[in-house]
Amino acid sequence: MTRSKALPVVAGAAATLGSLAFIAPSAPSSGHAPQLRGASTTVEATASQGSAGTVLGSAALCAAAGFASSRRRGNVRRKAEDDAYGASHTSFYTDAVAKDKYDTLEEVLATKLKDEKLKAHVNELLDACVKITEALRVNLVTVNDSANTFGDKQLTVDVIADDLLWDLAKTSKYVYEASSEEEPEIVKTNEDGQFVLCWDPLDGSSIVDNNWAVGTIVGVWDKSTGLIGATGRDQVMSLVTLYGPRTTVFMTLDDGVYEFTLGDGNKWICSRDKIQIKKECKIFAPANMRAAQEVGGYDKLIKHYMENKYTLRYTGGLVPDVCQQFTKLQGVFTNPTSQASPAKLRLAFEAAPFGRLVEMAGGKTSDGVSGGSVLDVKITAVDQRTPLAIGSANEVDRFNEMVLEKQIA
């Protein structure tokens, strides 16, 4: 009877401590069942338990050894999986840990954005992004009767997003001039305003019907510099809103780049602060791959990514393809130019706002021609186009070296 009572205890210890534990029947004992303490497996038995304690101790030691060996094998296997699968493996997923409390937008702006006019204008912009979020949730993606200034057929959601931003620009006391990527002309909206506002209302029109992530890109200049003749470095702030399963916005504040997430009741909470992009990366997003047929350096660069097991993360939408750098804290987006496949990105509406965000987060940019920062390119026309490489610093340097054949300090 005594033996039949002891066996379940030993078996339970074996199950807890490791799959390699050896289970031996215990000798008869009139004492109490032994107690197992801690992961390191200290087995205590009274003297009256005799050889049962010895057997249990041996079983526990075997279990502990098996557990440790299993963990070592698991670590080796996980390292091999990391090497084999790259960013597809869970080690590349977010490492953000839930907080007990998240600061509100108002709390962060109170300490991280000193300019009171700009602070008020940011709130206006985010209110417009909330309205765009709601419009995307309920409107079907269909072709609108109108076309933009380039003759491109517009989608209903494009028009809605653009109209909402024009409503903001024309009614805000802070906006001096405004321009939309859909109608690249500078419009004076308020003689007493302070800022020049440029936006791409819904970047990713070609993929929005797939229900993929799209976004709004905004650059803000002071009226003292205006837009024409200024550079991206003259921006006073930029922000990008990403509409996906969640709505998030990345914006430049006085001391860095912050992420805000739209929460319950359409309230914004700060989900990441002072984002820093690593210099090294293993994630690449190669746009304009047609250019690789003409630009040998771009062909070699793409082969370098594949041969060195980088992970492809590319949707064809500039906003998600670059914003992943702020959540993964690494990555590179490349969009070179060639004679047959010229670059299509707009400097004022896309490259400059993203350039400010990435460089303030510790990343680097290339204008795709000189190899210098895209933020130093003078804006000479509202619809000016530019090549672009943007992201982790060492990978932008690699782009300059292999595609442009330039060594940039």
Side-chain angles (χ1 to χ4, degrees):
M1 294 295 291
T2 304
R3 179 172 300 183
S4 64
K5 290 180 181 178
L7 279 172
V9 178
V10 181
T16 302
L17 296 171
S19 60
L20 299 181
F22 170 74
I23 303 174
S26 61
S29 171
S30 60
H32 298 290
Q35 294 180 335
L36 302 177
R37 295 181 183 173
S40 60
T41 326
T42 299
V43 180
E44 295 182 357
T46 61
S48 61
Q49 291 171 322
S51 60
T54 303
V55 173
L56 277 173
S58 299
L61 289 173
C62 290
F67 181 70
S69 176
S70 178
R71 287 189 63 182
R72 284 194 298 271
R73 288 198 305 274
N75 291 337
V76 171
R77 184 173 61 252
R78 192 172 300 112
K79 175 64 168 60
E81 289 173 352
D82 286 345
D83 293 340
Y85 296 112
S88 298
H89 194 259
T90 53
S91 61
F92 275 75
Y93 293 169
T94 180
D95 59 358
V97 178
K99 300 178 182 178
D100 293 331
K101 178 186 179 298
Y102 290 87
D103 291 337
T104 65
L105 173 68
E106 293 74 19
E107 289 171 333
V108 175
L109 294 185
T111 58
K112 303 300 182 182
L113 191 59
K114 295 178 181 178
D115 189 314
E116 292 299 327
K117 289 183 178 179
L118 193 54
K119 191 183 300 181
H121 185 44
V122 166
N123 280 296
E124 292 180 331
L125 285 168
L126 293 194
D127 285 344
C129 291
V130 171
K131 294 175 182 177
I132 294 173
T133 298
E134 293 171 343
L136 287 170
R137 296 286 182 265
V138 299
N139 285 278
L140 296 178
V141 179
T142 57
V143 176
N144 196 60
D145 290 336
S146 63
N148 61 22
T149 55
F150 306 103
D152 300 327
K153 280 286 186 179
Q154 291 180 294
L155 301 177
T156 49
V157 287
D158 279 326
V159 175
I160 292 170
D162 200 34
D163 286 348
L164 287 168
L165 288 165
W166 273 118
D167 288 345
L168 160 64
K170 292 176 180 178
T171 58
S172 172
K173 65 180 181 179
Y174 303 107
V175 180
Y176 174 66
E177 291 177 338
S179 185
S180 166
E181 186 254 3
E182 297 292 331
E183 299 177 29
E185 298 177 355
I186 298 174
V187 177
K188 186 171 290 186
T189 57
N190 184 350
E191 188 66 40
D192 297 322
Q194 186 65 42
F195 305 113
V196 177
L197 192 62
C198 291
W199 66 78
D200 182 344
L202 201 65
D203 182 81
S205 298
S206 64
I207 60 174
V208 68
D209 57 343
N210 297 338
N211 203 23
W212 293 1
V214 293
T216 297
I217 307 171
V218 179
V220 183
W221 283 259
D222 191 84
K223 71 176 182 180
S224 62
T225 64
L227 182 66
I228 302 302
T231 67
R233 209 170 290 285
D234 292 321
Q235 291 172 100
V236 294
M237 83 160 301
S238 67
L239 66 83
V240 173
T241 304
L242 177 63
Y243 309 106
R246 294 167 290 117
T247 295
T248 55
V249 61
F250 300 92
M251 69 172 72
T252 60
L253 299 181
D254 293 342
D255 64 344
V257 175
Y258 288 68
E259 178 197 61
F260 295 88
T261 297
L262 188 61
D264 289 339
N266 285 337
K267 299 296 183 182
W268 296 94
I269 59 170
C270 181
S271 40
R272 298 176 192 270
D273 57 15
K274 296 182 181 178
I275 295 169
Q276 285 293 300
I277 298 170
K278 300 171 185 175
K279 290 185 176 181
E280 299 283 353
C281 84
K282 296 291 283 186
I283 298 174
F284 74 112
N288 197 16
M289 290 182 66
R290 296 183 187 91
Q293 299 178 54
E294 296 177 82
V295 182
Y298 196 35
D299 182 55
K300 291 178 182 177
L301 180 62
I302 293 171
K303 287 178 180 176
H304 169 84
Y305 295 147
M306 294 188 294
E307 290 169 358
N308 288 275
K309 296 185 178 180
Y310 285 54
T311 295
L312 175 67
R313 286 287 180 268
Y314 180 70
T315 70
L318 179 65
V319 174
D321 290 339
V322 177
C323 281
Q324 65 181 328
Q325 298 173 11
F326 304 128
T327 52
K328 301 297 187 185
L329 306 182
Q330 61 168 294
V332 62
F333 172 89
T334 53
N335 192 331
T337 190
S338 71
Q339 186 172 353
S341 303
K344 297 180 180 180
L345 293 179
R346 292 164 173 85
L347 178 59
F349 300 106
E350 297 167 317
F354 257 124
R356 178 178 170 88
L357 278 160
V358 168
E359 289 199 11
M360 283 193 69
K364 194 170 184 177
T365 67
S366 168
D367 62 10
V369 178
S370 72
S373 169
V374 75
L375 294 180
D376 293 327
V377 179
K378 183 177 289 188
I379 301 169
T380 58
V382 181
D383 190 48
Q384 184 174 343
R385 309 300 177 100
T386 183
L388 180 67
I390 187 168
S392 294
N394 290 352
E395 290 303 325
V396 174
D397 287 342
R398 192 189 310 280
F399 173 89
N400 285 336
E401 293 167 8
M402 295 184 70
V403 179
L404 306 183
E405 298 182 347
K406 295 179 182 293
Q407 296 282 346
I408 309 297

